[in-house]
Amino acid sequence: MLDYTLRTVALGAATLGAVSGALGVYALLRGQSLIGDAMSHAALPGIAVAYLVTQSKLPLVLMAGAAATGWLATLAVMTVVRRSRVKYDSALAIVLSVFFGVGLMLLTYIQGLPDAGQAGLDTFLFGQAAALITSDVITMAGLGAVALSGVALFWKEFKLLAFDEAFGQSLGFPMRAVDVGLTTLTVIAIVIGLQAVGVVLMSAMIVAPAAAARQWTARLGVMMLLSTGFGAAAGVAGALISSSAANLPTGPTIVLCATVIVAVSMLFAPHRGLVFRWVRQRRRM
């Protein structure tokens, strides 16, 4: 039977994996897989500013700050791409670097303050899942429920955005508002995982489950369910494996478990898997 700490960490990691897996599907289908990288890195200055303003390390306060700057960074990328000749990947790199640099400067400043209350903020760089407590998991679950409810409520609009934005506009849908709404939900998914895996590794949790799910199906609904399940499975597996060995960090272990799921999917998935293709080619010879 799982002890309290391991059960709490496993539930938090499963929540993180499920929500990031679900929202990652849209990022993958829209060719914006690295948007999670920009959002997660851009969340760092928000965490620092939230602490400086409130002098509080409550997860909900820090998540609110992270969400604000993550959302602003994504909005900045969208604005630069639409109003200039700068390409999407270049805008992403510029915004990511600027926000992350500002975040590191603020974090260094905070660590130099005489007040001991700032201790532990640097764990948001690489995460500290083992420090999760019940209230943290409840906060993550509440925000995750909001994000997943948004996906269910605007399923048709997000589907149009992912596959044919121009057609959605021709039908009268406010596609720019839909884009902003999806971005907001993605930001929520990312800030949920910052405490567990950190800003550096969070992008992998957005991309990996969706990339694995894409190998198994071409249907959006099935892909969404698979990606959600893969993300949750990676979270639980990472928590269990890290608890079995001393000094094995949970966040990186979760990411490695997600990577294993991607590798297995790329090798053995029907129709798309490399092994399946090799067997099919051998039969044709």
Side-chain angles (χ1 to χ4, degrees), residues 11 15 26 71 100 145 158 164 172 193 207 223 237 239 261 265 280:
L11 286 174
T15 302
Y26 293 113
W71 188 80
F100 190 58
F158 291 161
D164 199 337
V207 177
M223 182 180 174
I261 293 174
S265 299
R280 186 171 56 187

Side-chain angles (χ1 to χ4, degrees), residues 26 76 84 126 133 147 232 261:
Y26 293 113
S84 71
F126 299 103
I133 58 177
I261 293 174

Side-chain angles (χ1 to χ4, degrees), residues 226-250:
L226 285 175
S227 183
T228 302
F230 287 156
V236 174
L240 294 175
I241 293 172
S242 65
S243 69
S244 65
N247 300 320
L248 189 61
T250 305

Side-chain angles (χ1 to χ4, degrees), residues 18-98:
V19 178
S20 59
L23 272 300
V25 168
Y26 293 113
L28 182 73
L29 292 177
R30 299 180 67 198
Q32 297 181 349
S33 297
L34 288 180
I35 194 67
D37 201 21
M39 287 183 181
S40 58
H41 282 72
L44 188 60
I47 294 170
V49 171
Y51 173 77
L52 287 172
V53 171
T54 66
Q55 295 295 305
S56 171
K57 291 196 297 181
L58 288 174
L60 193 58
V61 173
L62 299 181
M63 284 182 182
T69 52
W71 188 80
L72 286 175
T74 309
L75 214 58
V77 171
M78 294 165 59
T79 302
V80 169
V81 171
R82 284 175 177 162
R83 297 183 178 273
S84 71
R85 295 184 178 181
V86 177
K87 298 294 182 63
Y88 175 77
D89 56 345
S90 300
L92 200 66
I94 293 170
V95 171
L96 183 154
S97 302
V98 171

Side-chain angles (χ1 to χ4, degrees), residues 261-275:
I261 293 174
V262 173
V264 171
S265 299
M266 293 182 68
L267 288 173
F268 301 108
H271 306 296
R272 288 177 174 268
L274 297 178
V275 173

Side-chain angles (χ1 to χ4, degrees), residues 2-15:
L2 299 180
D3 61 28
Y4 168 79
T5 301
L6 179 55
R7 185 169 63 249
T8 302
V9 173
L11 286 174
T15 302

